[in-house]
Amino acid sequence: MIEDKSPQRTSIAQLGEFGLIDHLTKNFEINQPSTLKGIGDDAAVLDFKDKKVVVSTDLLIEGVHFDLAYMPLKHLGYKAVVVNVSDICAMNAKPTQITVSVAVSNRFPLEALDELFEGITHAAREYNVDVIGGDTTSSQKGLIISITAIGEADEEEIVYRNGAKETDLLVVTGDIGAAYMGLQVLEREKQVFQVNPNSQPDLDAYTYLIERQLKPEARKDVRTLLHALEIKPTSMIDISDGLSSEIMHLCKQSKVGCNLYEDKLPIDPTFINVCEEFNIDSTTVAINGGEDYELLFTIAMEDFEKIKANPNFTIIGHMTQESEGIHLVTRANTKIALKARGWDALSE
């Protein structure tokens, strides 16, 4: 397909704020019975009856959380929803609604915002959440997206970070580290392009890793899987900032220690190959990478038989007394103190 070198650019100033809101939200549908009133009034109205409500919010800032040099706007819209829905899933709750706020500079035409909201709309349908409101405003620093996610659960279903016990097993969903290596591939190709704009990257060998970075998925299925296995986690968190950081959050809030086993880490073969290509230690990336949006949780020892053969879950360690500390047990059976080297939004 021949690229259109002169795409249509409609200034968002032509629509004004309320015209823009009407334009961007016209495709959002209401599907949740708890949504009494969505977009169109001063506030949304929700009715959860006897359910408990869980709420989480995230901010994504251009140049800090994403780079539009390689992040398509449609993918960005999708990912912005996923990272918030993942927080609701990490509470063992069902996501039901989101609000979407964007601040945008005048370098973005209406067509660019249409792409962004196409991704948001696709994610809302995929995760069956209603878009019930938000805000739009101008920005002098590029694109900023803020999404608030709302979910519901029975009180006895909700899982917090502070419930892990000393003998509990540490479990993770899926595989880890791939999103970080996808980012490294994209950053490398960006640098090549900056040197030679005529260079066209061949990314076929990196498809899985790049997809994990540009289009992650929240583990909305885990709540159902655990319910079918008759397992309620004792603590839970999603892996956004890196496995090591998330383990330390669970340990700190639960007042326990942990032994994490290097040979138990679930990593994809493609991930290992690309780590070797970049001359990066795969274990270091797997425990520190971040943005996997898998779920990390603890279960009671007596639930081992229920979960041991399930392909969706990997037991990667166990909790200990707080005084024993938090350690990585290497393949050579050496204990190394685990440090949080994952993403820190406020680091220098």
Side-chain angles (χ1 to χ4, degrees), residues 76-182:
L76 177 60
Y78 191 93
K79 183 173 181 177
V81 175
V82 165
V83 302
N84 284 274
V85 166
S86 181
D87 284 332
I88 302 302
C89 296
M91 300 296 293
N92 202 36
K94 171 190 171 186
T96 49
Q97 289 91 6
I98 58 171
T99 66
V100 180
S101 296
V102 296
V104 61
S105 69
N106 59 11
R107 89 173 197 268
F108 291 91
L110 177 63
E111 288 74 17
L113 286 183
D114 279 341
E115 281 190 49
L116 178 72
F117 272 74
E118 186 179 348
I120 292 171
T121 303
H122 181 57
R125 288 172 180 160
E126 178 69 24
Y127 289 94
N128 194 26
V129 293
D130 295 338
V131 183
I132 59 169
D135 193 18
T136 58
T137 189
S138 59
S139 164
Q140 295 180 330
K141 298 293 183 182
L143 180 61
I144 301 171
I145 307 170
S146 177
I147 291 184
T148 296
I150 300 164
E152 66 175 30
D154 293 330
E155 185 171 9
E156 63 272 15
E157 293 178 313
I158 298 175
V159 178
Y160 300 95
R161 296 181 182 181
N162 62 359
K165 303 295 188 294
E166 291 177 5
T167 59
D168 284 354
L169 300 174
L170 185 65
V171 186
V172 70
T173 63
D175 61 83
I176 54 177
Y180 179 84
M181 288 313 298

Side-chain angles (χ1 to χ4, degrees), residues 213-246:
Q213 170 59 220
L214 297 185
K215 190 179 176 289
E217 299 291 352
R219 295 304 303 259
K220 65 176 182 178
D221 58 325
V222 169
R223 182 171 182 260
T224 303
L225 289 169
L226 291 174
H227 181 76
L229 293 171
E230 298 183 343
I231 295 174
K232 181 187 176 182
T234 53
S235 67
M236 186 184 286
I237 192 170
D238 76 328
I239 304 176
S240 55
D241 299 332
L243 178 66
S244 58
S245 295
E246 314 304 2

Side-chain angles (χ1 to χ4, degrees), residues 160-166 168 234-236 247-257 298 319-320 322:
Y160 300 95
R161 296 181 182 181
N162 62 359
K165 303 295 188 294
E166 291 177 5
D168 284 354
T234 53
S235 67
M236 186 184 286
I247 288 174
M248 295 184 80
H249 284 311
L250 292 184
C251 288
K252 181 180 179 180
Q253 297 208 19
S254 296
K255 294 182 171 54
V256 293
T298 54
M319 315 315 275
T320 63
E322 185 176 20

